[in-house]
Amino acid sequence: MAENTGTPDTSSQGRTNDFHMRLSDDEKRKLLLRAHEWSSSHSVESTSTAGLLSKYARECLLAPRQADQALTHADIQDFKQQLSRLEIQVAKVGVLMNQVARVANTKGIILHHDFNPLIGSMKSVVADIDDLMREIWERNR
């Protein structure tokens, strides 16, 4: 057993190199939260926060493919909620397109004043979809 010198004995694991990074308080809080979620979902035990962060960082950073990187249950739930919101917005576009087609088929002629409100609604929904896509992209980069 190694003598307690204040530094962890990592030589038995072949891990003798340190890696440091700087985080804001908010980034550190998010990282700790994700590490704890990951550890509970993967039954990982650690005696210290530093040890947990090291294990989580190795899992995330050294995964052979992006698909193998650590995901937490909260990450998956958040993605499902965003995807559900996106599906609702896409469905609204379909409804609006059906309304446009119904007016065109009923009247046999397309009048500008009939479509202005529908086009305005469609632009709003498409803008919402664009915002959701950007949000999903930013959160999952």
Side-chain angles (χ1 to χ4, degrees), residues 5 8 13 42 47 57 67-68 73 95-96 98 105 110-111 114 132:
T5 60
Q13 299 166 338
H42 288 80
T47 57
D68 294 332
H73 181 70
V95 168
L96 291 168
N98 285 337
N105 289 333
I110 298 174
L111 300 174
D114 289 333
L132 280 170

Side-chain angles (χ1 to χ4, degrees), residues 6-7 10 14 24 27 31 37 40 48 50 54-55 61 63 71 82 85 88-89 96 104 111 115 130 132:
T7 58
T10 57
S24 68
E27 290 170 330
L31 182 62
E37 289 174 349
S40 64
S48 69
S54 292
K55 289 177 183 179
L61 297 172
L71 288 176
Q82 291 173 352
R85 287 175 47 208
I88 290 167
Q89 295 301 323
L96 291 168
L111 300 174
F115 289 101
D130 187 51
L132 280 170

Side-chain angles (χ1 to χ4, degrees), residues 42-77:
H42 288 80
S43 301
V44 174
E45 294 183 20
S46 183
T47 57
S48 69
T49 299
L52 174 62
L53 286 174
S54 292
K55 289 177 183 179
Y56 178 67
R58 279 192 298 276
E59 178 71 22
C60 291
L61 297 172
L62 299 177
R65 297 174 302 146
Q66 186 174 2
D68 294 332
Q69 291 182 359
L71 288 176
T72 65
H73 181 70
D75 293 334
I76 294 168
Q77 289 302 104

